Structure formats: C-alpha cells, structure tokens
DNA sequence: GTCTATATGCTGATAGAC
DNA sequence: GTCTATCAGCATATAGAC
C-alpha cells in the first residue's frame, strides 16, 4: 500500500535519474512512469503534467545541491578554500547516481525556446543562490568592494565547467578550479589583499 | 525559377534563424519550411531529414564563425590581444541577426541524450577548432610549455560565457574577457613571461 | 527536372475516462 | 491501474506548375 508521499517521491526519484541524464524532451513519460512503477493517473494528479514534475524535481534538486555545497564549505580549512569549495561540491554532485549529464537547470532551460514561467523561476533561483552565496564567501577573501565582481566571475567559471561536460572528454576535473584560483589571485591583487 | 542551390540556401538560412534561437526540438519542421518558403519534398530530397538539415546548418555556421574569429584576430594589435580576440568575435557573432540564444553547437548536442554521430562530429569539430586555434595563439604569449593548459582554460571561459547566456541578464559583456585576462596573467607569471 | 501544393500514414506524447 | 481518445510533429506520396 503506497502512501501519497511515497508515490510522489518515487516519481521525483525517477525524474531525477532520467530527465537530467537523457534530457527532458528525449525522455518519454512512459519511461519515467515505468521506473517509478506508477500509473499515469498518479503523475497527472500529483504534478499536472510532465513539466510540472520537471519543475518539482528541479526544486528538490536545488535543495540537495545547496546541502552538498554547504557540506563542502564546512569541510574547507580557510576562507579561500571555502570560496573554492563550490568546485569540490560540483564533483561530488556530479558523481551521484542521478548526476546530470551536465546541468539539470541549464539543460532544462536550454530545451525550451522561451522557458515557461515556473521553469524560468527554477533556473533563476539556482543562479541567484549561486551568485549570492559566492558573493558571501568572497567577502572574507577580497572584501566588500570586490565581492560582486569576483562572485560573477566565479559563476562564469562554474557555468563553464558545466558546459565543458557537453564537449569531448579532454577536460580534467581540476581545470575549473585552476581557472578559479587564477581569478581569485587576480582579484586579491587588485584589492591589495 | 528556383535553382537547387538557392532553395538549399533558403533552408539553411531558415534553420539558422529558427533552430538555434528556439531550440531544435522546439521548432517544428513546418515552421522552417514556412520561413524558407519551400515545400517538404525539397527539404527531404536535399537533406534527408530534419537532423540532416541541422547538421548542414551547423557545418556552415562553423565556417562563418571561424571567419568572424579570424577577422577579430587580424584586427588585434598584439599577441595578447590576438589571444583574447575570441571574446570580441563572440560578441560580434552573437549580435548577428541569426545569433543563437547561447550556442548552436552546445545547444544542439544538449538536446540529445546521446547525440547521433554526425551531430557529435559537428560539436567535436567546433571544440577542436577552438582548442587548436587558442593553443596556437597562446604560444607567442606563454610559450610552448604553457600553451596547452592555457588553451584549455580559455576554452572553459568561452564555454562559460556561452552558458551564462542561459542564465538571467546580470551578465556584463566584458565579464568573460576579464576572467580570461586574469587567467592569461596567471599563466604568464607561471612561465616567467 | 526541380519546384509547389496538398493529402496522408505513422508514431508517440499527453491527458483523461473508466 | 488499464485502456483509449486526441493531438502534434515527422516523413512520404501524388499530382501538377514553371
């Protein structure tokens, strides 16, 4: 006897494993249903549509990602390591069983010409969290003055790491971290720290 | 009286304008046909399938992109400017009437779980050209020893700039160039130049 | 011979009825 | 949970215009 919460969780788990590996459009609803062991009616009652399930999966995923990132920050020894911990977290998150091919948020947004509002909101929240938290972690490293610019630069590097996963396999895991290290050093020099 | 070459060009132009702005899957073939003012039979005779047209459009697009980049390199005053000219070219290319929402190659690849061979080859060629040419431009700046690593780093920054276009509009046009400048400075310091 | 216009088979996703 | 209707998009076939 399946409770409502557990069938919804099964659907979200299935969505996580399929939609973000194969792509949203490329994955038939039937496969999600089959993996979840759930009937179509359940999906449409709980989430309204395939897109509804997608958005719910993204929201849950963002929470998980932020926890992963927080753990990496907590494990880092000093201010600069805390700022760069996002790259450790990316690696950890990528190696999860439901790790996306590149990025669940960017990938979902990229599939729509003009993403529907709830989907755009999910990506915007991801972007905001990245920028805001990077900025907060940047303050101890370069001070208030340089924090905005450094956060934007690092967000670009993070996005670059994600996009590189779509290209051929030449990419070393530490490439993004190396670039970020250079960016931080440059910002430090600029602010005299 | 429409010649064979001209109808094919009309299809490629329409593909450029629609597929890479709205996304490949998101654009029905019918719209491409309507914009090109061409009948279905013409498309399927010339390109075999929607995907065939896509690949042909990507191939033509890569040639155009490389010409744009070469022009930007030629206009740059010194070795470092030539290495960073790729960011000028990105801006120029983006502002074309058929400029992609983010990146025609990454976007097309992202839509397939496991891209069909001709599509994968198109993206691989894009990646190879970027890496190889960046490496050649890096040699005068940091020497043979550091050129591979610098090229890889800059490729990541380029990809980051492209991916940022999927996020919200906070991005300044010079952000990628600033990051790249820091990366080049760091590489220079490392190789003692 | 190359194109246009139109009609149609086919497949698979979505949604809802039972 | 099964089963079915609807709908959209891709691909092809046919017939005729330049």
């Amino acid at each position: 006897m399946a409770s409502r919460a557990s069938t919804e969780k099964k659907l979200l788990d299935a969505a996580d494993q399929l939609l973000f590996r194969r792509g949203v459009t490329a994955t038939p609803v039937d496969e999600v249903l089959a993996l979840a062991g759930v009937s179509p009616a359940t999906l449409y009652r709980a989430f309204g549509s395939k897109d509804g399930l997608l958005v719910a999966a993204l929201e849950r995923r963002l929470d998980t990602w932020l926890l992963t990132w927080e753990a990496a920050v907590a494990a880092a020894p000093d201010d600069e390591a805390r700022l760069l911990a996002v790259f450790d977290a990316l690696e950890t998150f990528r190696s999860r069983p439901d790790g996306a091919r590149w990025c669940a948020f960017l990938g979902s947004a990229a599939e729509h010409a003009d993403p529907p509002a709830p989907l755009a909101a999910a990506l915007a929240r991801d972007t905001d969290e990245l920028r805001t938290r990077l900025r907060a972690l940047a303050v101890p490293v370069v001070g208030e003055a340089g924090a905005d610019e450094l956060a934007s630069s690092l967000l670009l590097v993070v996005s670059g790491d994600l996009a590189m996963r779509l290209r051929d396999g030449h990419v070393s895991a530490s490439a993004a971290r190396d670039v970020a290290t250079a960016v931080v050093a440059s910002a430090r020099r600029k602010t005299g720290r």
Side-chain angles (χ1 to χ4, degrees), chain A residues 30-53:
Chain A
D30 302 13
E31 284 190 39
V32 180
L33 294 172
L35 181 60
V38 152
S39 76
T42 309
L43 188 158
Y44 290 103
R45 180 188 49 72
F47 299 102
S49 69
K50 184 187 183 185
D51 252 39
L53 173 62

Side-chain angles (χ1 to χ4, degrees), chain A residues 7 16 20 22 35-36 48-49 51 57 64 73 85 99 107-108 110-111 144 148 159-162 174 186 190 193:
Chain A
T7 56
D16 253 336
F20 307 133
R22 309 197 185 168
L35 181 60
S49 69
D51 252 39
T64 313
V73 170
S108 300
E111 291 193 39
E144 282 287 337
D148 279 334
S159 304
D161 179 72
L162 294 167
S174 62
S186 164
K190 220 182 281 183
R193 305 212 180 184

Side-chain angles (χ1 to χ4, degrees), chain A residues 106-129:
Chain A
L106 292 172
S108 300
E111 291 193 39
H112 293 264
D114 178 57
L119 181 51
L123 175 60
R125 197 181 146 214
D126 177 58
T127 302
D128 283 353
E129 290 285 1

Side-chain angles (χ1 to χ4, degrees), chain A residues 81-163:
Chain A
R82 276 185 280 276
L83 178 56
L84 295 177
V86 65
F87 297 103
D88 302 330
L90 279 176
E91 270 309 298
T92 304
F93 206 67
R94 182 229 248 296
S95 62
R96 283 163 47 105
D98 59 356
R101 184 154 68 105
W102 63 302
C103 172
F105 299 89
L106 292 172
S108 300
E111 291 193 39
H112 293 264
D114 178 57
L119 181 51
L123 175 60
R125 197 181 146 214
D126 177 58
T127 302
D128 283 353
E129 290 285 1
L130 276 165
R131 198 188 303 271
T132 304
R133 290 171 184 234
L134 282 172
R135 191 193 181 284
L137 291 166
V139 170
V141 178
V142 296
E144 282 287 337
D148 279 334
E149 191 185 335
L150 182 52
S152 285
S153 295
L154 292 178
L155 178 55
L156 189 145
V157 177
V158 166
S159 304
D161 179 72
L162 294 167

Side-chain angles (χ1 to χ4, degrees), chain A residues 8-14 16 55-65 96 98 125:
Chain A
E8 293 186 8
K9 181 172 182 312
K10 276 191 268 180
L11 277 167
L12 289 170
D13 289 344
D16 253 336
V55 170
L58 284 174
E59 283 169 355
R60 192 184 67 162
R61 199 176 177 88
L62 179 54
D63 294 337
T64 313
W65 154 245
R96 283 163 47 105
D98 59 356
R125 197 181 146 214

